[in-house]
Amino acid sequence: MLGQPVVASDLPGSQDEEFSAALSLWLENNEEDALPGLRDLAQASNGAAQILLGLIDKNSALQGPYLSFLARDDRIALLRAPGGLSGRNWISVSGGQTDLAQNWKDLWHLEGGAEIAQKFLQMGEDRAAREALIIIASRHDSVLPTEVLSQDWYPDSLVHLTRNYALASENAERLHPGHPIRLVSGLTHDNAALRDWLVADPLGTPLRAVCDAQCPENSGDCAVALYRGLSGYHALLMLGSPVAALVSDEEFAKSRRSMAAVARRIMLAHSARTRDPALQRLAELDQCAADWLRAEFKLYYPRLRESQSSAD
């Protein structure tokens, strides 16, 4: 996929050759060349560019070293529409132009409930639906009403969002022995079972893609180490294509941008003070994964030394 024009959907502007070129650069993790092009397209009312920039702006894991090194005003100018004291998120500006943008706007502005996640699923945006349900559940003390969990469209990946994470016996029996929901629900699993689940389940695709590329000789243990580094099952559910209508989860997982986002999310899951001890613990699970993460983390360090501020 990399180096080739991305075949996009029918989102307004997604078939534009300039957008396809900018998207390909971004997937190659070339922020310096991709983001100015996306900004120019967004300012020219390209809806696909507006949605992508809006989601990059909202998700720190999608922001690489180039963005983190920029001065605040320069970063705002790249990612946001003009207006207000610090710019305006492009999705908030263009919410009414597409159903996808409007759905994100409704989620962020608390204008709706679980039907927002259902709409994401109908659009093929499974990752967005998971994020929406986690956000909506947090408004109900991290649980969802029974009538929501019983709907046919409700994803199996979040069946644990019940009071006290209690699972019905039939749901617990259907789980893979290594499924993380067993742990959050008070059941048990070990690293060997988790390894088997990560190797087999589509939710493990972003981690497997990293490990197949960086640590192919021990990909399964590498995936376990990366999962432990994420510090939570919900963090795994957040991984994937920001806009499946533009690039599928499977294609995104193979991109340099996705791999960088995995490392960035793990990095942000730990404070600057606890990152080295965390890497030491992960090295006990897989040295290759820990070495890769350490190299990725270092990409952000020069900025920290210059500004004497924390990347957190």
Side-chain angles (χ1 to χ4, degrees), residues 11-22:
L11 284 177
S14 62
Q15 302 293 345
D16 189 324
E17 289 184 5
E18 292 182 2
F19 174 78
S20 183

Side-chain angles (χ1 to χ4, degrees), residues 261-281:
V262 170
R264 176 71 164 161
R265 187 171 287 278
I266 293 173
M267 177 179 173
L268 295 176
H270 305 274
S271 69
R273 182 174 298 176
T274 62
R275 282 171 194 154
D276 278 342
L279 289 174
Q280 292 171 16
R281 291 192 298 272

